[in-house]
Each structure stands twice: as C-alpha cells, then as structure tokens.
DNA sequence: ATATAACCTAGTAAGTTAGTGTGTTAAATG
DNA sequence: CATTTAACACACTAACTTACTAGGTTATAT
C-alpha cells in the first residue's frame, strides 16, 4: 500500500501543475490548498527537489515550481522517488539481495508479471492526465 | 509491498497443493520444505484455518490439508485474507472511513483504476496456476 | 501412557510511518 | 541596511507494523 509520502508528493505535483508555470509557488500555499501539514510537506518537497522534479528558490517571492511541463512527468517516477520502489515484493526491488530460492520459487513469475503490469500502468500515466480530470 | 504473511501463506498453500490431497500434512514438514520458521507459520496457518481455506486436525497423523481443489482458490483471496486488503491506497480499503476529499480528489480515479487491474490480476490467478509451473 | 501435532496467549526487537520542533540560510522589499 | 518571507537543515518522537520467539495446553492415534 502506498504511503502518504508518495500520495502527497503526487498532490504537490498536481497542485504545482495547476498554478502559473512561470511563478514560484510558496509551500505554505500548497499546504493550505491541499490541507496537509507544511512541515511534513517540507520533507516530501526536499525529495522532489533532490530528484530534480521541481526547483525551489528561497526568500520573498520564492517557492517551488515544476522543472518540466506536466506531460513530461510520469506518476511512476514521482511515486518511485518518494516510496523507493513500487515493486510488489522485496525480492524484485532494485536494491534487493539475490534470493536463494529464486530458481525454485513458484511465485516469482507471478510477482514479476504483476510488477510489469504495475510499471506499465504507472509509468505511462502522466501528471497531465491527472490535472485534466 | 506485500509482506511475508501473504507471501508465506501462498507458499504454504502451494506446498499443500503439491502433497497428497487426502493426507494431513504436519506443519513441521511444510516449515522444513519451505525453510520458514514453524512458529511463525503457526500464526499464518491459523488465519488460513479461520478463513476455511485449509483444515487442521490435532494429534498423531494430524496436520493440515486443503478444503478444496487448487483450481478453486484464487491468489487474491489467499493474500487478502492474510494482508487484510490489497488496495493500493488506504481510502480504497473496505474498512476505510470516508475521505472528505473524495469528490475533489484528482488521484482517486487513478487509484481506483489500478485497484481494478490488481483485483482482476490476483483474483483470476488460481492456486493451480502456480503449482503447475 | 506416550508421542505427536494442532492450537492458544503473550511478548519483543527492529523498523517504518507520519509527523513535530527549532533553528539557519537566502532573497526581495522598504 | 533592516525586515520580511520562504527555503533548507537537522534532530526528535509517538504510534504502529513486521517478523518473529517463548511457553504453554488440548486433541488424537498407537
């Protein structure tokens, strides 16, 4: 189950996509509109900046804005950045240590099949798809 | 991400499906074959019994066996029984309290769409599909 | 009677989640 | 240059979940 981090990140991105793309939007405004603690959003937004999905400037008139247009972001990359991995099982996550049962595992093909389905869904779903709805 | 509970439950079910369907299989044997702590499996197996997916008898010659044939179990019902819900977000879980943002939520349609995809996948995948592979 | 195996209740260390608190730095405005 | 605004940084925490373990009691076949 996806946590608030990934879900809130998506909401921040959607919020930014709905604002003037040339203006920096202060986090305070996003927090109020989305009704999420600004303090908590700081953590999330930090990751979004680190991942270069948004850019921030300090000081008066500062805030955050998207670095690209909404069609250029996939939901998958936003969630993955915040959640670490969207793999259904630990052994399929990118940083997973090799499972000793890999060769005999009766469930691995199913997990892999589902993971492909999931990636297909979330990486083809664009931020712009969510804004226009 | 699915936890060991759901994953181990699946492995127990697969293991049972591979044994003689008329014999009771002791948990000790399953634990050894699957290389999972017997003590931990007791917790998982208890849920499987509660959900009537398997039946157990005490005493010598006792153990567990499937109550139905492998084609009659879906992977979805096994995992759901152990994990509680396979919903991608909390607000879609059956016991979820109504979200106040439901009507304005830009992401809910996407989560719902994914949830349908997920249920479709796991409830149509049968235990027998995993055994014969 | 004994061996076997399910069944029951409880506890626990480690990790994760969803935050909060208290600052410091950077930039625009008067 | 002082003030305001806002990002950025670091630390802390309560509650919950995960993945177990411990120590029994009850049921059944030989």
């Amino acid at each position: 189950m996806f946590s608030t981090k990934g879900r809130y990140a998506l909401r921040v991105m959607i919020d930014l996509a709905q604002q003037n793309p040339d203006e920096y939007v202060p986090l305070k405004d996003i927090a109020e509109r989305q009704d999420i603690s600004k303090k908590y959003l700081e953590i999330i937004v930090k990751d979004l900046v680190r991942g270069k999905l948004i850019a921030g400037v300090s000081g008066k008139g500062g805030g955050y804005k998207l670095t690209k247009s909404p069609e250029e972001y996939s939901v998958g990359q936003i969630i993955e950045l915040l959640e670490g991995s969207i793999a259904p099982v630990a052994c399929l996550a990118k940083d997973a240590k090799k499972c000793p049962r890999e060769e005999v595992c009766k469930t691995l093909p199913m997990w892999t099949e589902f993971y492909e389905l999931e990636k297909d869904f979330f990486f083809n779903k664009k931020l712009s798809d969510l804004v226009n709805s």
Side-chain angles (χ1 to χ4, degrees), chain A:
Chain A
M1 221 182 248
F2 297 111
S3 72
T4 53
K5 269 196 170 182
R7 277 155 41 214
Y8 288 179
L10 247 185
R11 284 169 60 186
V12 167
M13 293 298 282
I14 291 170
D15 193 284
L16 282 173
Q18 289 174 323
Q19 312 306 316
N20 183 339
D22 301 322
E23 271 178 22
Y24 284 94
V25 182
L27 195 57
K28 184 169 165 283
D29 294 4
I30 302 174
E32 278 169 12
R33 270 195 297 270
Q34 298 296 324
D35 196 41
I36 304 173
S37 142
K38 188 204 159 201
K39 241 16 192 132
Y40 189 41
L41 279 188
E42 278 182 10
I43 299 167
I44 288 158
V45 147
K46 186 172 63 178
D47 284 349
L48 291 173
V49 169
R50 180 178 54 81
K52 303 267 174 69
L53 301 194
I54 63 173
V57 292
S58 297
K60 207 170 217 172
Y64 297 97
K65 71 172 188 183
L66 300 182
T67 53
K68 296 181 287 185
S69 62
E71 312 86 59
E72 297 177 88
Y73 298 94
S74 73
V75 169
Q77 72 175 313
I78 297 167
I79 296 177
E80 210 170 52
L81 182 65
L82 271 288
E83 305 276 344
S85 171
I86 62 165
V89 287
C91 58
L92 286 177
K94 53 196 149 302
D95 62 333
K97 48 189 173 305
K98 189 181 152 45
C99 174
R101 298 188 66 266
E102 200 173 281
E103 276 78 27
V104 283
C105 186
K106 295 273 183 193
T107 56
L108 185 58
M110 179 191 70
W111 296 128
T112 305
E113 192 188 345
F114 179 71
Y115 191 23
E116 292 305 317
L117 202 80
E118 193 184 353
K119 284 189 287 189
D120 203 66
F121 182 89
F122 287 116
F123 284 97
N124 285 317
K125 185 78 71 181
K126 303 299 176 182
L127 181 58
S128 48
D129 298 332
L130 300 181
V131 177
N132 318 318
S133 66

